Amino acid sequence: MPNAGTRLLVLDNRLFDDLYVDAMVLADEASAYLESDAGTGREPCDPFDRVQLSCESLKVTTRLMQVIAWLLTQRAAARGEIDRSELHAEKYRLGDAAPSDPRYTGMFSAEMQEIIAASEKLYLRTQRLQEQRVDGRAVGRAPTSSPARALMQLLEHRL
């Protein structure tokens, strides 16, 4: 029977695999939509609005590629291809991605709005996951220490 650490590692790997699948499916959906007639034919025809659509398309693509790159880095570390101690280095962190501007996204089709929202949600999920890992916690594990515990220990030693 696997121990608790092994079970947590399996859960951790499943979480990353599921997030990776979500990112790849969304990237495929976004690509198919943007390359289709729906991505160009049903969207605004005004030149300014087309520029906004192009900007939002780039934002979606950037978010998805940042997530996918981060997940592939995590996978490489899990396989021993990257030293886990290096994962906190800036080059392995989730890259920045600009949020969408609701002043403009409302003019797009419902499908494009869904793609934009889904990419933002996926990026935020990944960002939270990275923050958990940077804090020294693996997914599903409690923190080993906290500022409150450190203060309590300090007070206990002084009493």
Side-chain angles (χ1 to χ4, degrees):
M1 174 173 262
N3 64 26
T6 304
R7 284 193 300 263
L8 285 172
L9 185 59
V10 168
L11 289 174
D12 204 28
N13 289 338
R14 284 186 190 160
L15 176 66
F16 283 105
D17 289 345
D18 289 348
L19 201 56
Y20 181 78
V21 168
D22 289 349
M24 293 303 291
V25 167
L26 185 55
D28 190 46
E29 289 173 359
S31 175
Y33 177 79
L34 293 169
E35 291 175 0
S36 72
D37 288 338
T40 56
R42 286 192 237 156
E43 296 300 341
C45 295
D46 178 81
F48 177 79
D49 295 346
R50 282 197 308 264
V51 169
Q52 289 304 318
L53 176 63
S54 294
C55 290
E56 290 304 324
S57 300
L58 287 171
K59 288 177 184 180
V60 166
T61 303
T62 300
R63 278 184 217 111
L64 295 175
M65 292 304 107
Q66 293 292 351
V67 167
I68 291 166
W70 187 81
L71 290 167
L72 289 173
T73 301
Q74 300 303 307
R75 182 182 288 173
R79 292 179 178 171
E81 297 165 8
I82 297 174
D83 186 351
R84 283 190 177 276
S85 65
E86 293 182 49
L87 285 179
H88 302 302
E90 189 64 32
K91 67 182 179 180
Y92 294 125
R93 293 189 52 81
L94 182 65
D96 293 331
S100 292
D101 191 335
R103 293 177 298 171
Y104 303 114
T105 57
M107 74 175 116
F108 304 139
S109 69
E111 189 173 358
M112 182 62 180
Q113 290 180 38
E114 288 174 16
I115 290 170
I116 291 168
S119 72
E120 287 182 315
K121 183 178 177 183
L122 183 67
Y123 183 84
L124 291 173
R125 281 175 52 202
T126 306
Q127 206 171 37
R128 284 191 305 270
L129 185 57
Q130 176 182 258
E131 289 167 6
Q132 287 177 327
R133 297 180 79 71
V134 167
D135 287 342
R137 295 180 281 171
V139 177
R141 295 183 194 156
T144 54
S145 67
S146 72
R149 284 192 183 126
L151 183 58
M152 291 295 289
Q153 288 175 349
L154 181 63
L155 290 172
E156 286 174 2
H157 291 294
R158 296 215 175 185
L159 292 178

